[in-house]
Amino acid sequence: MFTSQPVERIAELEHFADYQRSQGLSANTIRNRESILRAVLAHTGALVDADVFTLRRYVGRTDIAAGTRRTIRGALVAFYGFLREEGIRDDDPTLRIPAVVAPKGTPRPFTAEQVDALLSSGAYRKTRAMILLGYYQGFRVSQIARVHGDDVDLLTMTIRTVGKGNKEARLPLHPLVAELARDMPRADWWFPARGGRTGHIHGASVTDRITRAKKRAGILDDKLTPHSLRHAFGTDLVEAGVDVRVVQELLMHESLSTTQVYTGVSERRKREGIYTLPVREIPRQSGRRAA
């Protein structure tokens, strides 16, 4: 039976969060890493003093995907590197945890019909707005959550957003989103926090709302998530013949190789390709007797 973490050890997580903020990391990254570290603590009963064997066993669990395993290892590497740099630990156990090789990801986009189903699923106005921002602007849920009226410029038809690594950009505003903006707050958060909190909602709340719309729409594919709206954005742009460098800028990808996952041959084009083969009449019998 695992023991609970002593209260004084939680201070290390707080100091680690301060350290990451000083690096300029996004609130979403800091929050995700803390969630991973707390899960490690709950599962293993150790965190600051965990040994390499415990951490290896946790990272090597067979019930998680390679991409998830890589994300967990990344959070551990950052945390134990911080502990060693601060002199809290003399060693870094993650130096002996092998790098995780994850297969190259493939887009999991919603189809046009599924996007229509999401919008007509009975979702409330703000949920529909989230869906439109995901598909027509290619925003992640964290970007959707913090859209502010001041970000939208209807004169220049642009929208300001902050992506991964606190990277800021001003992107073209899709006409449908511009129309949406006329009914949204002009000088406040589009999706304000509730329950007495100030600021905007969390990305997790965006995920919850779009997921509920997906269920109401009868979309049962577990691989389709709110992030699939962003995948649909990138995939449909490439399908429409938009230059991949333009798609890279619109998705705010640091590397072109990240964008190139959208350049794979789509299911529609595969189907069209195989249908070009001529249809032949298939004999009902072998014909041996007649010969």
Side-chain angles (χ1 to χ4, degrees):
M1 181 176 179
F2 294 127
T3 58
S4 60
Q5 178 78 343
V7 174
E8 61 269 17
R9 288 302 194 187
I10 301 301
E12 274 74 6
L13 286 178
E14 296 172 355
H15 296 327
F16 181 48
D18 291 337
Y19 177 81
Q20 293 174 97
R21 292 187 192 97
S22 70
Q23 289 180 301
L25 298 185
S26 70
N28 194 51
T29 297
I30 296 170
R31 186 165 52 248
N32 287 343
R33 284 180 174 177
E34 180 172 347
S35 177
I36 290 170
L37 294 170
R38 288 187 180 278
V40 172
L41 172 60
H43 190 88
T44 67
L47 185 59
V48 175
D49 298 322
D51 59 57
V52 64
F53 305 107
T54 299
L55 297 177
R56 273 189 199 149
R57 188 175 299 115
Y58 185 79
V59 173
R61 288 174 299 145
T62 58
D63 60 340
I64 56 176
T68 302
R69 187 175 293 112
R70 183 170 58 184
T71 300
I72 292 172
R73 182 183 181 276
L76 294 174
V77 167
F79 180 62
Y80 289 101
F82 158 77
L83 294 181
R84 185 176 183 182
E85 184 178 324
E86 293 294 308
I88 298 171
R89 281 189 68 139
D90 296 328
D91 67 328
D92 181 351
T94 62
L95 295 176
R96 294 161 58 198
I97 299 178
V100 179
V101 178
K104 186 178 181 181
T106 56
R108 305 178 305 279
F110 284 110
T111 65
E113 294 77 14
Q114 288 171 329
V115 174
D116 289 340
L118 287 173
L119 292 169
S120 58
S121 65
Y124 292 125
R125 180 174 65 93
K126 289 201 173 181
T127 302
R128 296 198 303 273
M130 294 172 181
I131 294 167
L132 293 173
L133 285 164
Y135 178 71
Y136 283 104
Q137 297 295 155
F139 282 3
R140 297 179 174 89
V141 293
S142 59
Q143 292 172 277
I144 295 172
R146 56 175 176 255
V147 172
H148 194 282
D150 292 338
D151 296 331
V152 179
D153 189 332
L154 294 176
L155 291 178
T156 61
M157 287 292 286
T158 59
I159 183 169
R160 174 189 170 276
T161 188
V162 179
K164 273 189 174 181
N166 279 341
K167 180 180 177 183
E168 182 178 328
R170 184 163 284 279
L171 301 171
L173 187 67
H174 191 279
L176 272 180
V177 180
E179 189 64 31
L180 167 71
R182 301 182 192 281
D183 295 323
M184 299 297 281
R186 298 293 182 92
D188 201 352
W189 301 108
W190 280 19
F191 312 109
R194 303 175 68 177
R197 292 193 304 110
T198 58
H200 57 77
I201 63 174
H202 294 313
S205 297
V206 177
T207 296
D208 290 343
R209 292 192 185 193
I210 297 178
T211 299
R212 287 198 293 270
K214 173 193 160 187
K215 290 179 179 177
R216 280 194 298 269
I219 301 172
L220 304 178
D221 189 345
D222 290 338
K223 293 183 178 179
L224 293 175
T225 69
H227 197 73
S228 296
L229 289 167
R230 177 175 166 85
H231 286 181
F233 172 80
T235 299
D236 289 355
L237 287 177
V238 171
E239 279 282 282
V242 177
D243 185 89
V244 69
R245 277 285 293 114
V246 176
V247 180
Q248 178 191 359
E249 292 294 321
L250 292 174
L251 286 167
M252 298 175 66
H253 283 159
E254 199 69 38
S255 169
L256 183 61
S257 63
T258 306
T259 314
Q260 285 174 334
V261 300
Y262 295 98
T263 62
V265 180
S266 70
E267 293 302 316
R268 178 184 64 80
R269 290 167 66 185
K270 289 177 187 176
R271 187 166 55 251
E272 289 176 353
I274 203 167
Y275 285 178
T276 62
L277 297 175
V279 176
R280 287 179 168 80
E281 184 175 348
I282 303 173
R284 292 182 176 275
Q285 298 178 351
S286 68
R288 288 188 180 187
R289 181 172 298 180

